[in-house]
């Protein structure tokens, strides 16, 4: 987005270079204004998506469409912040 945060990713499955209509869409929402402490952790899988944004998303939704079946999962987090507005890592 305009402030440097990742809002959405889309993955499409291909077989022999042909789109199968299977896809996974991830939405990253409810960003805070705190500096992202995970920006340098791009090589660690569990932090990869967090590392791509300037701030911290507090809501995540994944829509998976696999062979015509749609599955939606959501997760949200609450963070603690210090007096300067920076996220506190426990």
């Amino acid at each position: 987005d305009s402030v440097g945060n990742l809002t959405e990713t889309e993955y499409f499955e291909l077989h022999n270079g042909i789109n199968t209509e299977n896809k996974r869409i991830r939405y990253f929402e409810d960003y805070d204004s705190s500096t992202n402490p995970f920006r340098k952790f791009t090589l660690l899988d569990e932090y990869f998506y967090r590392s791509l944004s300037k701030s911290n998303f507090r809501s995540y939704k994944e829509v998976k469409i696999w062979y015509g079946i749609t599955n939606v999962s959501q997760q949200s987090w609450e963070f603690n912040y210090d007096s300067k507005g920076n996220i506190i890592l426990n």
Side-chain angles (χ1 to χ4, degrees):
D1 67 6
S2 64
V3 295
N5 293 322
L6 178 67
T7 57
E8 180 180 321
T9 63
E10 293 185 18
Y11 293 94
F12 297 91
E13 184 178 279
L14 299 176
H15 283 272
N16 297 323
I18 299 170
N19 188 349
T20 65
E21 301 299 322
N22 293 336
K23 62 184 171 179
R24 178 179 297 156
I25 306 166
R26 294 180 171 115
Y27 300 95
F28 306 91
E29 303 168 330
D30 190 25
Y31 278 91
D32 62 16
S33 58
S34 175
T35 301
N36 183 349
F38 301 102
R39 297 254 329 164
K40 296 180 182 178
F41 295 119
T42 57
L43 298 179
L44 300 173
D45 283 344
E46 70 182 277
Y47 297 114
F48 177 72
Y49 290 107
R50 287 208 176 272
S51 72
L52 299 176
S53 296
K54 183 178 177 182
S55 300
N56 307 286
F57 62 86
R58 295 179 281 199
S59 178
Y60 167 83
K61 179 170 73 172
E62 180 178 88
V63 178
K64 188 176 180 181
I65 302 168
W66 230 247
Y67 299 101
I69 299 171
T70 301
N71 183 16
V72 178
S73 59
Q74 293 183 286
Q75 187 170 359
S76 60
W77 298 267
E78 289 187 29
F79 297 120
N80 294 316
Y81 300 91
D82 64 17
S83 60
K84 295 178 183 178
N86 296 314
I87 193 169
I88 298 172
L89 300 175
N90 294 333

